[in-house]
Amino acid sequence: MRTTSLMYKLIRLPVSWLTKVSAIADEHEQKPSAPDHVVYVMRSPSATDLVAARKAAHALQLPDPTEPLALNGKLYDRVLYLEDPKRRLGQTPQDAFVELLNLHQQNSSYNVHMYPIGLFWGREPGREHNEGRTMTADIEVPGKFRKFWLVLFSGRNILARVSRPVSLRTMATSHASDVELAHKLTRVARTHFARLRYAVAGPKLLGREAMIQELLESSAIRAAINEEARAKKITEAQAVKRARSYLHEVAADYREGLVRFGDHFLTWLWNKIYNGITVKNGDIIRKLAQDGHEIVYVPCHRSHMDYLLLSYVIYKEGLVPPHIAAGVNLNFFPVGTIFRRGGAFFLRRSFRGNKLYSTVFREYLTRLFRKGYAVEYFMEGGRSRTGRLLQPKTGMLAMTLQSQLRGVNRPVTFVPVYLGYEHVMEVATYHGELKGAKKEKESVFQVFGILRKLRNFGHGFVTFGEPLRLSEYLDNTQPDWRDSVTRGAEEPAKPRWLTPVVNDLADIMMRRINDGAALNSINLTGLVLLSAERHTLTKEELLAQIQCYLALHREVPYSNDIHVPEWETEALWEHLTKMDKLAISENNAGSVVALDQVQAVTLTYYRNNILHMFIVPALLARFARKGEKFTAVEAAQFMQKVFPLLEAELFVNRHSSEVPLWVAALCEEFVRQQWLVENDGSYTIVGRNTPGYVQLTLLANAAEETLVRYAIVFELLQQSDALSRNELEQYSEQVGSRVGTRHGIDAPEFYDKRVFSTLVSTLKSERYVHVTDAGDFTSDERTAILSDEIDVLLGSQVQQTIRDSVQRILAK
């Protein structure tokens, strides 16, 4: 058995004082046969590494790696090394594994867990020349001299990655030959450490200028340069200069030093403005990275904070931050330079009419994939001004699929990411832009303005959703897709199936983003108060309704990935008051919570973050409030009629065939919450004088604005003989503005033309409208039936306002 070396004893205290270790452990459920039945696997002996490993084990409440393991009356080394230059003559790396496996064969009660520990002194990936030679030493196995400098300069930035343990009991039971198994474990461990290093630091970096020159010499860009020279009647040298300028505009210039500084700065920033950041499913991305996947992060886009928060969280998960596709509007001094060195690459809003730029950008993106860089892009194209997910823009997604067809070796895997906040700094400007205010151009002065407004932003939420492996998706949807793959440098022809596949894939990703939504104090408060008369409730009514909504999603969850907090009522109230988004007054009845006009508009944005989770329960509540006895089947039949509209508008991630089971489960939960009464399989609403009636009514009111929009479009179709698509969308917006003014609806989506456009597109695809030979839209009997069913769920005053407004607009 190896004892701790004299060197370790000499340096333990000074190295402990000089170093700081961040420890990340993969989740696992298995337990060893005893708390200390744990051994560790490390790459090679190092006294400084052992000090760091000891600190990591202590932080994770694991046994001390410097203490021996006692089994069957014998002491064993707690740490096993894959490479040990001081190993005695005749020994092999497998000997220690064989000895432990033999022990498990002899004693069936033992189950020692073997934890691989990867130690990273900084995360500098190193750089390479064009021919691929490494310019710096490997960050995991440096020489003694370099280790001395690493302790001094990187000792405060050590990452310890403790991977999921291997059960030696399982291995001993399933394999007969200990020697053969030990050899296999050693090989697997070496591969694991190599992949772990790649996941933590990323691939070796090629200098930016060298990379640009390499791309300019690629056959696809050379062909585009020649075509540009012919089409624009310029010299080849001028076309090359133009292509080079495009690459300089686009390409990132990743610097690990800046990322490390950003880590310290953002840690300070988040601690100043947030009271916590909840991260869910971080183990998903760690496993993908360690398994060698080419990860494409696809987050929603709510704020400029998104870039910073997601990169920060990924870095804290022990992974190299992704290269981020950012709008060229952010490429201004000094922010552009900082973002570029943090891994951002810039793209223009449109590539239309510029084939050279399109080719340059596509080749750059393909190179990122081939080199193994993780990539991040926002499919919405810009920040959501309404709080809902925007309809996806599929350009980047199409280029990713085209890169797959170029023969990218690593498996390309999409990871949807939900980003949620209790406060978004840009919300005030969003509403103005939707009402017609000019978008303010990004500038350094805008950045300083944001910094001046730093305040309590509440809590942040990051959820990594269900990954989608691109090759598996293509196998299921387009089995012959490999026929379009080209392994050479030439750009493949665009296959016919690409566009519909890209559109379907974009839709799937948006739904999976919504699957990770987080319920928080602000979006739930917005959902409740905006549904209340005059936007006012007592403190007790507000808190009771929030608790009902939390219980609803615990019992009938929207998805497995949603965040449903566990709150004590008073703690929730205390947090709400600190967020300062409500008008709270005191009277003889107690605390009264209200929203003024500005607060109501603001909370509409946050409510829309989670509306997709409540729209079906709200419509069911609306259906129940008709006052008639109904069955779950009848409610589901209505829901299935409007469900395609909900799917397209709110990216609800359920199939229509799942709606009956969903509605039945909701009916049971409504009964449990004393909102409905069940009798022989039928349901009726509870009495008006009960708390349950008020609570059900508040939930039902959350669906009103959605139903109003549907009613507006259906009324226009029925009162007109025929309308062009442009007229239908334009008139819908005008009627919506009138109805909103008349009934106090000031939701951002009423000023967003894209919401009506999406609705009209869905009505067309679901054949609720017919298109004449002249291209005009007309309605039929199905339209009238659904229109009548929706009208029944709306109040008579709203119905009359819609009819009158439609008549006036059509009469013009």
Side-chain angles (χ1 to χ4, degrees):
M1 188 197 81
R2 177 197 299 270
T3 59
T4 53
S5 67
L6 176 62
M7 177 63 73
Y8 169 80
K9 294 174 182 177
L10 290 173
I11 70 168
R12 187 184 70 179
L13 289 179
V15 171
S16 293
W17 179 72
L18 287 169
T19 57
K20 181 179 178 181
V21 179
S22 298
I24 299 175
D26 292 340
E27 297 178 6
H28 63 282
E29 297 178 356
Q30 294 181 332
K31 300 293 183 184
S33 48
D36 70 332
H37 284 188
V38 168
V39 295
Y40 304 100
V41 179
M42 296 173 63
R43 283 280 295 269
S44 61
S46 166
T48 51
D49 281 358
L50 194 57
V51 174
R54 186 171 183 268
K55 295 179 77 169
H58 177 75
L60 299 171
Q61 298 182 328
L62 291 170
D64 187 337
T66 64
E67 297 294 330
L69 169 65
L71 283 177
N72 200 28
K74 185 178 178 181
L75 298 180
Y76 295 85
D77 287 331
R78 182 76 69 175
V79 182
L80 311 179
Y81 297 105
L82 295 180
E83 300 168 7
D84 187 355
K86 295 183 179 179
R87 187 179 292 112
R88 291 191 298 271
L89 187 63
Q91 287 188 327
T92 66
Q94 293 80 34
D95 290 344
F97 294 106
V98 171
E99 193 171 1
L100 284 172
L101 288 168
N102 280 333
L103 190 63
H104 281 71
Q105 295 283 10
Q106 297 164 11
N107 192 326
S108 61
S109 64
Y110 288 150
N111 183 16
V112 173
H113 279 196
M114 186 169 65
Y115 286 81
I117 298 183
L119 289 167
F120 303 90
W121 297 70
R123 307 200 206 174
E124 174 62 53
R127 292 186 175 270
E128 64 178 33
H129 294 299
N130 287 345
E131 62 270 22
R133 291 178 299 176
T134 302
M135 295 174 64
T136 60
D138 190 290
I139 64 173
E140 254 197 302
V141 192
K144 289 183 179 179
F145 180 74
R146 187 163 186 264
K147 196 59 166 282
F148 171 76
W149 293 108
L150 284 175
V151 171
L152 292 182
F153 294 106
S154 298
R156 310 299 291 176
N157 187 36
I158 304 172
L159 173 67
R161 283 291 306 274
V162 182
S163 302
R164 187 177 289 106
V166 175
S167 167
L168 293 183
R169 163 54 48 208
T170 302
M171 302 301 292
T173 302
S174 58
H175 294 78
S177 170
D178 293 340
V179 175
E180 181 182 344
L181 177 57
H183 279 281
K184 181 178 179 180
L185 281 173
T186 305
R187 290 195 305 271
V188 169
R190 286 198 176 101
T191 302
H192 170 80
F193 281 121
R195 286 182 172 179
L196 188 59
R197 178 231 170 273
Y198 201 92
V200 168
K204 304 291 185 184
L205 295 174
L206 181 65
R208 186 167 183 262
E209 290 300 324
M211 178 270 297
I212 288 174
Q213 186 58 40
E214 183 182 274
L215 283 169
L216 287 172
E217 294 171 359
S218 68
S219 58
I221 291 182
R222 291 299 307 173
I225 287 172
N226 293 333
E227 185 174 339
E228 178 83 357
R230 287 194 302 272
K232 301 294 175 65
K233 297 181 180 179
I234 59 178
T235 66
E236 183 179 332
Q238 289 174 315
V240 169
K241 183 177 179 181
R242 187 171 296 177
R244 186 183 297 275
S245 70
Y246 290 157
L247 282 168
H248 275 282
E249 177 185 313
V250 170
D253 188 18
Y254 182 84
R255 305 289 179 91
E256 197 272 338
L258 180 86
V259 172
R260 188 167 63 250
F261 169 79
D263 171 41
H264 296 303
F265 171 75
L266 292 176
T267 297
W268 167 84
L269 182 65
W270 302 142
N271 288 333
K272 181 176 178 62
I273 66 177
Y274 292 114
N275 61 17
I277 298 172
T278 297
V279 179
K280 191 169 185 178
N281 297 337
D283 57 310
I284 287 178
I285 59 171
R286 290 199 302 272
K287 186 175 189 308
L288 288 173
Q290 288 174 210
D291 289 346
H293 288 246
E294 175 60 40
I295 302 177
V296 179
Y297 297 97
V298 185
C300 58
H301 202 5
R302 302 272 160 77
S303 168
H304 283 315
M305 281 289 188
D306 297 342
Y307 306 99
L308 303 176
L309 180 59
L310 184 52
S311 290
Y312 175 79
V313 167
I314 291 171
Y315 189 79
K316 287 298 186 184
E317 288 294 328
L319 301 177
V320 62
H323 279 51
I324 307 166
V328 75
N329 58 304
L330 293 177
N331 190 16
F332 59 89
F333 182 82
V335 172
T337 301
I338 294 172
F339 279 5
R340 196 184 296 278
R341 294 189 176 189
F345 59 99
F346 295 95
L347 72 157
R348 299 178 180 181
R349 292 297 182 190
S350 174
F351 298 0
R352 186 172 299 173
N354 193 336
K355 188 171 182 180
L356 178 59
Y357 180 87
S358 177
T359 302
V360 163
F361 187 88
R362 187 170 57 249
E363 288 301 302
Y364 176 77
L365 184 64
T366 299
R367 185 190 182 280
L368 292 181
F369 290 140
R370 284 182 169 170
K371 283 289 186 179
Y373 297 106
V375 171
E376 170 192 333
Y377 50 73
F378 299 90
M379 282 205 307
E380 294 168 278
R383 293 164 292 159
S384 170
R385 266 64 177 170
T386 65
R388 301 165 171 228
L389 290 183
L390 304 178
Q391 293 299 314
K393 298 184 183 300
T394 58
M396 289 290 292
L397 198 60
M399 283 188 278
T400 303
L401 262 71
Q402 287 174 309
S403 295
Q404 175 80 74
L405 298 181
R406 298 283 292 277
V408 174
N409 293 324
R410 287 156 54 88
V412 177
T413 300
F414 295 100
V415 176
V417 187
Y418 177 87
L419 300 169
Y421 308 89
E422 289 186 305
H423 177 80
V424 173
M425 65 181 70
E426 301 102 323
V427 164
T429 62
Y430 289 166
H431 194 60
E433 289 174 17
L434 288 168
K435 284 187 170 182
K438 186 177 180 181
K439 180 180 180 294
E440 185 178 351
K441 186 177 180 181
E442 285 79 4
S443 68
V444 68
F445 302 105
Q446 192 179 52
V447 173
F448 288 135
I450 290 173
L451 292 176
R452 285 199 307 269
K453 297 176 183 177
L454 292 182
R455 43 157 290 180
N456 177 20
F457 284 9
H459 209 85
F461 303 87
V462 179
T463 301
F464 297 101
E466 181 185 355
L468 185 147
R469 184 166 174 173
L470 182 54
S471 59
E472 292 180 355
Y473 168 80
L474 291 174
D475 287 340
N476 293 328
T477 59
Q478 196 67 35
D480 60 348
W481 69 274
R482 286 183 174 81
D483 295 343
S484 303
V485 173
T486 58
R487 292 290 174 182
E490 295 299 326
E491 183 178 352
K494 180 180 177 181
R496 292 182 178 179
W497 51 261
L498 186 68
T499 298
V501 165
V502 165
N503 291 337
D504 181 61
L505 182 57
D507 194 57
I508 291 173
M509 296 311 299
M510 301 305 279
R511 294 169 194 270
R512 291 191 183 184
I513 290 172
N514 262 348
D515 277 353
L519 299 175
N520 63 56
S521 64
I522 300 302
N523 56 36
L524 284 170
T525 297
L527 182 68
V528 175
L529 285 178
L530 291 168
S531 301
E533 187 176 356
R534 295 190 297 276
H535 300 161
T536 303
L537 289 172
T538 66
K539 168 187 171 181
E540 290 72 23
E541 289 170 333
L542 171 63
L543 296 178
Q545 192 76 13
I546 289 176
Q547 293 295 350
C548 286
Y549 288 170
L550 292 173
L552 172 65
H553 278 284
R554 289 191 193 102
E555 298 299 322
V556 189
Y558 176 81
S559 75
N560 293 328
D561 287 333
I562 63 169
H563 175 76
V564 183
E566 296 285 346
W567 276 324
E568 295 293 336
T569 302
E570 285 306 314
L572 168 60
W573 176 250
E574 182 180 352
H575 179 65
L576 272 176
T577 55
K578 286 182 179 178
M579 290 299 296
D580 194 28
K581 292 185 182 294
L582 312 171
I584 302 173
S585 59
E586 301 289 337
N587 58 31
N588 294 335
S591 300
V592 177
V593 187
L595 300 175
D596 60 31
Q597 184 178 11
V598 174
Q599 291 169 332
V601 171
T602 298
L603 286 191
T604 300
Y605 183 92
Y606 300 105
R607 176 205 63 183
N608 287 347
N609 292 173
I610 58 168
L611 187 59
H612 64 282
M613 301 168 63
F614 285 92
I615 190 61
V616 170
L619 283 174
L620 177 59
R622 201 92 186 181
F623 190 87
R625 282 193 70 243
K626 291 191 303 182
E628 304 170 0
K629 183 184 293 187
F630 69 93
T631 65
V633 172
E634 292 169 338
Q637 287 173 344
F638 166 75
M639 212 71 70
Q640 284 182 305
K641 291 181 182 179
V642 298
F643 197 70
L645 311 182
L646 303 177
E647 283 183 297
E649 180 180 337
L650 294 172
F651 298 103
V652 180
N653 196 13
R654 298 285 180 93
H655 191 271
S656 180
S657 62
E658 299 175 277
V659 169
L661 187 61
W662 190 6
V663 169
L666 288 171
C667 286
E668 292 179 9
E669 176 60 16
F670 283 14
V671 171
R672 192 190 69 80
Q673 297 222 30
Q674 299 181 3
W675 296 346
L676 296 179
V677 176
E678 182 183 11
N679 187 12
D680 294 331
S682 296
Y683 299 94
T684 53
I685 193 171
V686 295
R688 287 178 173 267
N689 60 344
T690 64
Y693 182 87
V694 176
Q695 291 170 351
L696 185 71
T697 299
L698 282 172
L699 177 59
N701 289 347
E704 181 168 11
E705 293 165 14
T706 301
L707 290 171
V708 167
R709 271 196 314 280
Y710 296 170
I712 288 171
V713 176
F714 281 127
E715 190 68 27
L716 280 166
L717 286 168
Q718 291 184 88
Q719 287 199 30
S720 63
D721 294 329
L723 291 171
S724 69
R725 174 168 184 154
N726 184 59
E727 288 173 332
L728 182 57
E729 293 176 6
Q730 182 180 351
Y731 293 164
S732 296
E733 186 186 356
Q734 293 173 10
V735 174
S737 180
R738 285 173 177 264
V739 174
T741 302
R742 172 68 177 80
H743 294 279
I745 301 174
D746 199 15
E749 55 267 28
F750 269 93
Y751 304 99
D752 191 349
K753 299 177 183 179
R754 290 171 291 188
V755 175
F756 279 114
S757 179
T758 299
L759 175 57
V760 170
S761 295
T762 308
L763 290 174
K764 179 182 176 183
S765 63
E766 293 295 319
R767 299 185 179 179
Y768 279 107
V769 295
H770 293 284
V771 182
T772 66
D773 293 340
D776 292 335
F777 286 11
T778 62
S779 62
D780 64 5
E781 186 178 349
R782 283 180 71 234
T783 314
I785 293 173
L786 183 55
S787 178
D788 290 344
E789 290 183 86
I790 289 174
D791 284 346
V792 170
L793 303 185
L794 290 172
S796 57
Q797 290 184 345
V798 175
Q799 290 181 49
Q800 192 59 47
T801 303
I802 293 173
R803 292 192 184 104
D804 291 346
S805 299
V806 168
Q807 288 172 2
R808 289 181 182 181
I809 286 175
L810 292 178
K812 291 182 180 179

